[in-house]
Amino acid sequence: MAGSSSNVSGNGEAQPSGSSCLTKILATLGICLLGTFAGMALRENMTETVYPEPGASKYFYIQDYSGVFSEAAEKYIFDEAVKLNRDTTAQIVVMAVPNTSTEPLESYSLKTANRLGIGSKEKNNGILILFTTDEPHVRMEVGKGLEGAIPDAMAGRILDDYAVADKNSRHWSRAAMNTFTATAEIVYRESGKEVPASLKQVKEVAEGQEGQTFGDMKLPEARPITADEDYETQVANGFFSFLGLSIMLIPFYLAYRFFKSLFSGGSGSGYTGSGGSYSHSRSSGRSYGSRRSSSSGSSHRGGGGGFRGGGASR
């Protein structure tokens, strides 16, 4: 009959018309388009973590991005760290940051230690003592070459004895100096070297004032992950974000269909699906440091790395 909206096959079953297929295609494209823009909007509000850059400061061993260490504390740590490196090749870096942005403390510390390359390349004998100051936490990251001398349990005891009480009361300089000293003493003994008399625990030390010491650095806040993307890249990444989310929802949809069929008493047909995930790899953002001229330090940097998560957090 003229004007019919469907075709009839030879076995008498109705087949969808061309206009119905076109409608479904347009609907699918519309959903993809809306999903892409939704993915773009979601990514606009996402940030990437910024890490300290290698070589950003010539005062490699003391990096204060929170402005909490006093100059006396920084000078002590720097001078003793230079001496430790000269005598044992080991490197201990003390650092304070306001927070670790979107990263957990442990992964931020591990990535920072490896990026800075703390320690000798041959021995992997570096240590990072990292304080976060917005919410007081401390992490000791131990290079794999020193994990025998400072296993996780010992790292935890050092933090308990020399860092926890002072960081909780925000006596950052004393926490940094005494934790550094206790750690350096172990490294000297492990290396068969005599502990120098200049290495000592302190009871009282002035606290720092932001922007006033040579170790102060400026760490940018987390950047939007779209900061370096042109519009075409944002569209592509928005689409892949939508597609990845859609694929992750497939198992839930299949479970819904299964239980709907089960409880409705229908036989239903079996469904199987396989999904993948899509991720967008980005390089970490740049950090910018300020240098103070109140100390006569020379250029220092790490040459090793070799951290794999040994240490402790408090």
Side-chain angles (χ1 to χ4, degrees):
M1 173 183 282
S4 173
S5 61
S6 63
N7 300 319
V8 179
S9 65
N11 59 10
E13 295 180 350
Q15 300 296 321
S17 66
S19 61
S20 177
C21 290
L22 180 61
T23 300
K24 291 181 179 180
I25 292 173
L26 291 176
T28 301
L29 291 176
I31 291 172
C32 290
L33 185 61
L34 290 174
T36 297
F37 283 109
M40 292 172 63
L42 179 64
R43 295 182 75 256
E44 280 286 342
N45 296 318
M46 297 174 65
T47 57
E48 63 180 2
T49 303
V50 176
Y51 300 91
E53 278 293 321
S57 171
K58 63 180 179 180
Y59 307 106
F60 174 73
Y61 300 108
I62 181 73
Q63 300 185 35
D64 186 2
Y65 295 94
S66 296
V68 294
F69 298 143
S70 67
E71 187 162 357
E74 291 177 358
K75 188 175 188 307
Y76 170 81
I77 291 170
F78 180 81
D79 290 344
E80 293 299 330
V82 171
K83 190 184 305 181
L84 177 73
N85 179 238
R86 182 192 65 205
D87 293 343
T88 69
T89 75
Q91 293 183 327
I92 300 177
V93 172
V94 179
M95 181 181 295
V97 295
N99 55 68
T100 59
S101 187
T102 58
E103 286 279 341
L105 175 62
E106 289 75 14
S107 62
Y108 183 95
S109 174
L110 179 61
K111 291 177 183 177
T112 298
N114 277 315
R115 282 173 57 83
L116 294 180
I118 306 170
S120 162
K121 186 176 182 179
E122 294 75 22
K123 297 181 180 180
N124 292 311
N125 53 353
I127 294 174
L128 172 65
I129 300 171
L130 175 68
F131 294 90
T132 62
T133 57
D134 286 350
E135 294 183 7
H137 294 290
V138 61
R139 167 79 181 171
M140 181 184 293
E141 200 71 47
V142 180
K144 60 185 180 183
L146 286 172
E147 288 178 349
I150 307 179
D152 295 356
M154 180 175 289
R157 286 197 298 272
I158 293 172
L159 297 182
D160 287 337
D161 292 344
Y162 299 101
V164 171
D166 281 332
K167 64 95 175 170
N168 287 343
S169 60
R170 298 183 180 272
H171 291 123
W172 301 108
S173 293
R174 188 166 62 194
M177 292 177 69
N178 289 340
T179 304
F180 169 86
T181 297
T183 307
E185 288 175 348
I186 295 174
V187 174
Y188 272 113
R189 295 190 182 102
E190 173 67 14
S191 302
K193 303 289 185 179
E194 183 178 351
V195 178
S198 56
L199 202 64
K200 56 184 180 298
Q201 298 289 330
V202 298
K203 292 184 178 180
E204 297 296 334
V205 62
E207 290 305 310
Q209 185 176 356
E210 186 172 1
Q212 300 298 312
T213 65
F214 67 86
D216 282 359
M217 303 280 290
K218 181 174 177 58
L219 184 68
E221 296 181 357
R223 303 177 343 137
I225 64 172
T226 58
D228 298 324
E229 296 178 353
D230 55 29
Y231 187 74
E232 291 77 9
T233 303
Q234 291 182 35
V235 171
N237 288 333
F239 172 74
F240 284 121
S241 297
F242 162 68
L243 187 60
L245 179 60
S246 300
I247 290 173
M248 287 190 293
L249 292 176
I250 287 177
F252 296 98
Y253 172 73
L254 296 179
Y256 163 75
R257 291 296 300 268
F258 171 77
F259 284 109
K260 180 181 179 182
S261 173
L262 182 66
F263 288 108
S264 65
S267 57
S269 57
Y271 294 86
T272 60
S274 61
S277 63
Y278 292 80
S279 64
H280 179 59
S281 175
R282 294 185 45 80
S283 61
S284 61
R286 297 181 297 273
S287 65
Y288 302 89
S290 60
R291 300 180 183 177
R292 305 290 172 183
S293 58
S294 57
S295 177
S296 57
S298 58
S299 180
H300 294 266
R301 65 180 60 199
F307 291 83
R308 55 188 179 188
S313 304
R314 293 292 186 267

